[in-house]
Each structure stands twice: as structure tokens, then as C-alpha cells.
Amino acid sequence: MDKRYNSREERRRMEELEKKRGNRKSSKGKKNKPKKSWFKRIFLTALTLGMILLIGGGSLFAYYAFTAPKLNEETLKDPVSSKFFDINGKEFYSMGTEERDHVSYEDIPQEMIDAILSTEDSRFNSHHGIDFYRLGGAVLANFRDGFGAQGASTLTQQVIKNSFLNNGKTLKRKAQEAYLSLQLEREYSKNEIFEMYFNKVLMSGRIYGFGTASQHFYGKSLDKLTLPQMALLAGMPQSPNNYNAFKNPELAEKRRNTVLKLMYNNKKITKDEMDAAMKVSVKKGLLPESKRVARSSSKYDAFVDVVLKEIAENKDEKALEEGVSVYTTLDPEAQKIVEKTVNNDANFPTKTIETGISVVNTQNGEISAIGGARNYGPERGFNFAQALKTRQPGSTMKPIMDYGPAIENLKWSTGKIINDSPMTYSGSSQQINNYDNKFRGNITMREALYNSRNIPAIKAFKEVGTSKVKDFIGNFGITPDELYESDAIGGGNVNLSPIDMSGIYASFGNNGIYIKPHAIKKIVYRDGNTAKTYTPEPKAAMSDYTAYMLTDMMRDVVSSKAGASGSLAAVYGVDIAGKTGTTNYTAEQLREYNLPDGSVPDSWFAGYSSKYSISVWTGYAKRSNGISTPPERQLAQNLFRNIMTQISAGKNTPSFVKPNSVIQSGNELFVRGTQVPATPTPEKEDKEEDKTVAAPTGLNATYNADAKSVSLSWNKSSTDGANYRIAVNGKAIGSTEGTTASYNVPQDATSLTFTVVAVANGKTSAAASATVKISTVPTEPEIDEPETETPVEPETETPKPETETPKPETETPKPETETPKPETETPVEPDEPETEEPTKKPQGTTNNGTTTNKNDDEVTT
């Protein structure tokens, strides 16, 4: 018996106890077996799911492949057209049907092939339609940055995408693109596929194919191009508009050098060849403008160029290769009027003076019409309406930089007194001058604006402060790094194009709501369902009181008040507000350019009604060619009046409505709550303001060829005591208390648009209008429908600039006692301040507005 135990019974119990302990250990060991089982289950589940996904994905791919379009050789070789529609939904241009220079593969220089493949698809000759190496990199980028973040399209895939598939980075399109690319590689050789791409790709604007681009940019065939020229063309398809060497030479040169580096990395050229090519100016060999030949044209080339730029800015330029429908904001009637006006040499004082014109809908920011230049053509010429970013805007900036911020932030009234007295730029001894080199003492903000005084504008700018001015102009997308006092009068570094200017001025007429000017409403992709909106969101850029008070002051700019700088821009029967602007040369520049004293480089007018906002720039393509005569200076106003008169004819254009936030005391406006006028009370005055003058109706104009005169008749206004003012082509010709008149037709007239307005109690009604065509055979006139096909004849008489400056008021309030703090930054030295001169009334105009000219423009009432 084992001595460790006292008895057999004890031994038995201990053995049983040991057995139980062993069972526990065994049961603990068995717990590891379920873990192994779970791992196995997870693996099998994942494998099963993977198989299901593989089968499902394969089935889905098979379905997409089955539903993919069939390869068609004609579609593969020719560009798919994109269609452009106007505001009425009518197609006015089809892009992609242009004439092309087709080049066979055998005629493409090897160096050109090397440049394209190094840039677009370096493994083109080794893959079968899909580059899985590039695809792997794109997949990683898409996991990191989201689906569609980076593409891996081969040349083959680009041919397929641009021939058959709608735009969009969807799984279906990618699957069909991959399938069709494999099919294309099976049915066509590499050389044939390369040739398709070579002749089909969008190169710039409306230029398709490398052969066409070679002729367009260099005027020679591909085999005559140099290495840097080939590299430039090879880099263009990535962003055709941005890399256009005519328009953006700096960007084009950077892209060309990138292509040269890729060619070197792919061992297609040596380092010496790369370095030598990079040193060549990108402009070398480019055709001068006089030798460029348009390969395509539309009815409205300047507008189409604005549309194409907007598409490029929204990164949809490549979509044009795929065939999209572009729904634009084009108003064809307004565009015709603008083009007829700018293409009529009789409207211009010299043969070479240029203009850029933008017409924007005041209410929604839609660009209605564009005047890019005189006789503007596609891919040829400079679009001054869009691309003019190097010319200063002069005094058109005063409402934007000075008086708008002052009303918005300081709640100045239009009668705010500002001291027009000698001053210098802060931290400088440079004297600031007014256009007449005189000082008016204490004057109101209203008078300072309509008489375009420089010193009050700068004082307003300084009192608001650059920080708040930046905030104000930032609402229009203007974000300069620094602002200087010279910017207050448009002589600094903040420059705007006519499109920019017309958009900002539209917000003044739209209760302070700014909508960025845009030429596209939406684009619809090839499937007909997928669309992308281009309409910007409205933004409250300022309070409604600021917008209206600026508008009311700028009404005086176009009024007949003494010293009003824009009276030539007035349109009878239409409530107009606007601002003139001129820029200046320094004394050194006048000597350098051999220009007479008083010459200026630029003349502007920006104005608006409740329907349209129009900005007009005039000047010469070369800044060294100055504006030196009154007709040149007044051209911007004349063009504005001419166009606004025609596009407003026959339309009801409501007057601007004073918001409840503004009250009037005497002739001045106040932000409600800042001034309580004694008499009349706001309530009574507001009721008086609401009274409108009823317009005359039924205007009839009949041309008598024998008498060479037009007889006018109309129905009486329902407003008691009204008399009537008559204008022809926007020029006042007389007034009467009756309802008939006759007009002696000038010898060279071809079409005349007459407007008649009723005037009562100092208020003017909307206009009734009628247009007659002048011919040797009497014709029935078109009544109440303005003729847009015939431009308005230019005015034959140019008023002389006023030489006398109105004397200041003898009794003036005391100047502000607070002295604005000087600016801390060093101002940019500006050109000489504004020199525009106020204009007298047309000769023979009496105080009541009746014209008594005794020349061909004679009216009998």
C-alpha cells in the first residue's frame, strides 16, 4: 500500500480527485479548438463573398458590355458635335462640324508621335487598350481621394469616350469604355487608332486635330514644325483653352516644357535637345493676327468665345469632345444689335479705335450679348469685353470703391458734405488733382459723384478704411492683396473687364443682389438626362439702401445738370443710372508717345436700367495710341446710348423703386433712422413718389418719301397736364403739348426709331416706340416693334465739352471735424487723375428740353 495514503479509501478518493482535475485541464484545452474553427469560418465566408462579388461583378460587366454601343468607323474618325442653344432654346451653333486637315498616319512625323505618346500614353504600343499599370495608380488615388479623383485613360480609351459614351465617371461608363477599348484594339491596328486620336482630338477653341492646329497656329504642315513647336501642340489637348499660345503664352510655355521633359524621360530626345528647345520663345513662329484664317465661325463669335472660356473654367472643356448640349444665356436680338453697332464704321470717329461691350440682364446676371471688338472673328482678335484685364477702369470704380462702402458702412446720406480741397497721397508729397485742376470746397457726395471729383472720392475711401472696402468689393469676387488710395479713383492695380463691370453695376439696379455674370445656364450630356447647372447663386452684396442711393446719385450723372459727366448716355423714356470713367498718361508717357496734352488711353461708360446693365470700354489696342479728340472721348457714352435705346425699344422698362429703407428730404436721400426730415413727412412723400406718369400709347410713324419726312401721332397719356418729349435714335429732337409731330429725315438715314415719353410734375413715363425703314418707295412702318437689323445712325453733331466750371455754393456747411487716419501702406503711384470733362447740353436745347436745331434734324410740332 502506498505510504502516502492512510487507507485504500483515502487513496481511492485522491485518485478520483486527480481524475476530476485532469478532466478540467482537458476541458480547458478544448477551448482553443473553437478559435481555430472561427478563423476557418471567417476565411470561408470571405472566400464565398469574394466569389459572389466576382461572379456578380463579372455578370454586371457582361451586362454593361452587352448594352454598350457598337463600334462605328465614321463615328470613330469624326468629332461628335456639341450644340449651343440661345435663351429661347433655339440652336445657333454646332461645334465639331468644322473643316479639318486630316492627316494619315504615314504623314505624321515620328518626333510628333513621340511627343504625343510621351505625354498621353507612353505604353500605347504595349497594352491592349487598358494600361493596368496606370490603372493601379489611379485606383490607389481614387481610394485615397474618392471615386473619379484620377483617371488612367489610354489613347484608345480616349477615342472610345469621345466617340460613343456620355460624360461622367460612373461605373457603367468605365466598364463600357474598357470593353469597347479592348474591342477597338482587336479590330483596328495601333497605327489606325493613333490616327483616329490624332485627327479627332480638340486642340483649342474650335480647332480639332493636330494637322488643323499646325496650320492654325504656325501656318505650315506638320513636317515643317520644329521640336518646340511639336511639343507645344502635343501638350494642348489636356486643357485646350488654357494652353492656347495666342491667348495664354506663359501657360503654353510651361506646358510645352513639361512635354519636353517627358520626351527626355522616355528617351525620345537627348538632354541637349531638351535644353535647347526650352530656351526657344513660345511665341517664335506663331502666326501674326493678320495672317490667321478662321476655320470655323458662328453667328455670334464673341459670345461663343465667352461660352468656351466659361466651360474651361468649370473644367468641362473635354466634354466638348464628347458631344454636349450647351444652353446659354444669349439673347439673339440683343446680340444682333450689338454686332450691327460695333461693325458699323460710321459709329466710330477713327478706323482703328476699338471697343469692348458687355450686356448683362440686371435681374439675373445672364450675359445677353457681347461685343468683343470691331469685326470680331473666331480664334482671331482680342475679345476686349472678356479679356481686357490690363486697362485701368478710371472713375467707374468710384461707386464700387468709395461711395458704396461709405453708404453701406457709415450710412452716409447723398447730401453728405465732403471737402474738395488740396491734398496729397498719404505718406507722399504727390498732389492729387481733379479733372479741372480746381477745388470746390464743401460739396455733397451726390455732386462729387456726378461731377466726378477725385479728392472727395479718395477722402470717402480713406474714411471707410481699406479693410471695410475690401469686405465690400469681396462680395463681387474682387480680392486684391493690397488696396491703395489710387484705387479709389480707378488708377491703381484693381482692373475689371467690361463683363465684370456690367455684372457689378447690375447689382446696383437689383436691390444690391449680385449674381456673377454668366453665359451658360446648364450643359446636358450626351445621354440627354445628365446635366450640370452653371447658374451662380445670388448674393446680397450690399443693403438695398446702398444700391438705391448709388442709383439715384448716378441718375444725375446722365442728367442735364451742370457738371454732369455722362449726359450723352441718357436714353429718353428709360430710367438710366451710370458712371463715366477715363484714365490718364503720366507727363513722361505723353512725351514718350508723342501725344498732345489731354490725351487719355481709355474711356469707359457703365450704366444700367432695371432690365439691362451695359459696360462699354473704348480705346486703342496699343495703349501708346491715345484718345485725343472729343468724339473719341464721347464714344463710350454714344455706344451705350445707341445700344440701350435699341434693346429697350418696345419693352416696358420699369423705373427703379425706392425701398422702404430709404427716405427722402428735399433732394437728398437718407438711410431710414439716420435722419428725420422735418417736412414733408416720409409717409406723405412716399405716397407722392408712388405716383407714376402714364405712358402715351399707339405711337404711329409714317414715312413720306416725296416729302422726305416722318409723320408721328400717338394717343394722349391718361395723366393730366402731361406734355411729350420726342427722340429719334435716342437723341432728343423736341417736345410738344399735342399728340402729333413731323420729322425731316436726314439724307443718309436708313432706319429711324422714334420714342415718345409723357412728362408731368417733373416725372417721366415709359416710352412708346415705333421704327420706320427709309427707302425710295413709301413703305408701311413697323409699329411698336423696334428694328434690330439696322444700326442706329451715329449722331452728326458732337457737343463741345463744357469749359466753365460751376461755382461752388456760397453757403456751405462746415467740413467734417474728424480727420481720417492716413493709410499706412505706400500707395502705388497712379497715372494722372481723371480728366474727363462735363458736357454741355446739345446746342439749341432750351431749359424746358425743346430742341430748336436748324439743320437736317429738324422737328415740327
Side-chain angles (χ1 to χ4, degrees), residues 655 687-695 717-719 760-761 763-766:
S655 298
K687 290 180 180 178
E688 182 66 24
E689 286 283 315
D690 290 339
K691 292 181 180 179
T692 58
V693 179
S717 166
S718 61
T719 301
N761 301 319
K763 295 180 172 55
T764 303
S765 74

Side-chain angles (χ1 to χ4, degrees), residues 99-148:
E99 176 188 352
R100 291 176 297 141
D101 295 323
H102 189 278
V103 182
S104 299
Y105 183 84
E106 294 76 18
D107 297 325
I108 304 173
Q110 185 60 47
E111 209 166 26
M112 185 84 251
I113 296 173
D114 293 340
I116 294 171
L117 292 183
S118 296
T119 306
E120 295 291 338
D121 190 357
S122 61
R123 281 176 290 277
F124 175 70
N125 290 310
S126 60
H127 64 64
H128 298 287
I130 302 173
D131 187 342
F132 290 100
Y133 182 84
R134 289 179 67 186
L135 182 62
V139 169
L140 291 175
N142 290 336
F143 270 118
R144 182 179 63 248
D145 303 322
F147 180 68

Side-chain angles (χ1 to χ4, degrees), residues 822-835:
E823 301 293 327
T824 56
E825 69 269 10
T826 302
V828 174
E829 187 169 321
D831 289 341
E832 289 295 313
E834 167 124 23
T835 61

Side-chain angles (χ1 to χ4, degrees), residues 788-860:
T788 59
E789 293 297 324
T790 305
V792 174
E793 292 297 310
E795 294 190 22
T796 57
E797 180 180 73
T798 303
K800 297 180 180 179
E802 186 168 334
T803 56
E804 295 181 10
T805 303
K807 296 181 180 179
E809 301 292 334
T810 55
E811 294 183 17
T812 54
K814 294 181 180 179
E816 298 297 310
T817 57
E818 294 182 11
T819 303
K821 293 181 180 180
E823 301 293 327
T824 56
E825 69 269 10
T826 302
V828 174
E829 187 169 321
D831 289 341
E832 289 295 313
E834 167 124 23
T835 61
E836 64 189 6
E837 300 174 1
T839 308
K840 286 183 178 179
K841 297 179 188 178
Q843 190 177 20
T845 303
T846 63
N847 290 334
N848 64 9
T850 303
T851 301
T852 58
N853 294 345
K854 298 301 181 181
N855 51 27
D856 286 339
D857 291 351
E858 182 179 284
V859 63
T860 305

